């Protein structure tokens, strides 16, 4: 059974968010495992406005290309250049070094607790 960090919040699209300030956003281990080897990330630019629940980029693996959704609304203040340079870090450490971007949050979207996300994914 997968474990999801209780301090994080989750989306039904398999993103996670640490709601500290600024908020940190990534994809869950469920998404990373389903995608297979991540080979490319398209992330929003620093300074971009993002809207909760909308497509803000792409994550490409050897299996497929999937859209990334923002779990929060706000302004992007940082992107993880290390993950862009070596997308495999998303598979290796999705809840740590594989984070994707940081946002100054103006509002949150519909977020799940770790327990709710586990129920949603069946993990």
């Amino acid at each position: 059974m997968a474990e999801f960090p209780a301090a994080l919040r989750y989306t039904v699209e398999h993103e996670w968010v640490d709601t500290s300030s600024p908020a940190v956003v990534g994809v869950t281990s469920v998404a990373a495992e389903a995608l297979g080897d991540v080979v490319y990330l398209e992330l929003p630019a620093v300074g971009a406005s993002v809207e909760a629940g909308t497509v803000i980029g792409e994550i490409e693996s050897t299996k497929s290309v999937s859209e990334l959704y923002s779990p929060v609304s706000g302004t992007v203040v940082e992107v993880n250049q290390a993950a862009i340079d070596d997308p495999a870090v998303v598979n290796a450490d999705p809840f740590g070094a594989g984070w994707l971007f940081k946002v100054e949050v103006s509002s949150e979207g519909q977020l799940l607790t770790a327990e709710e996300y586990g129920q949603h994914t069946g993990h």
Side-chain angles (χ1 to χ4, degrees):
M1 178 163 224
E3 290 197 23
F4 307 109
L8 303 177
R9 304 289 300 277
Y10 302 86
T11 70
V12 294
E13 291 88 9
H14 309 291
E15 284 83 21
W16 59 263
V17 59
D18 173 347
T19 57
S20 55
S21 185
V24 182
V25 177
V27 295
T28 68
S29 54
V30 171
E33 186 176 309
L35 285 165
D37 295 333
V38 176
V39 296
Y40 177 77
L41 295 169
E42 179 185 306
L43 302 177
V46 171
S49 292
V50 294
E51 184 89 20
T54 63
V55 175
I56 48 82
E58 290 182 343
I59 185 167
E60 184 176 331
S61 72
T62 54
K63 292 182 183 178
S64 66
V65 176
S66 298
E67 294 176 324
L68 292 170
Y69 295 84
S70 184
V72 294
S73 297
T75 303
V76 176
V77 295
E78 186 178 348
V79 296
N80 186 350
Q81 191 60 50
I84 292 170
D85 293 343
D86 181 14
V89 71
V90 173
N91 296 105
D93 191 9
F95 295 113
W99 64 274
L100 300 179
F101 60 96
K102 296 182 181 182
V103 180
E104 280 299 338
V105 176
S106 59
S107 65
E108 295 180 0
Q110 290 193 314
L111 300 175
L112 306 173
T113 64
E115 183 178 336
E116 290 167 335
Y117 181 71
Q119 292 170 352
H120 169 70
T121 61
H123 287 88

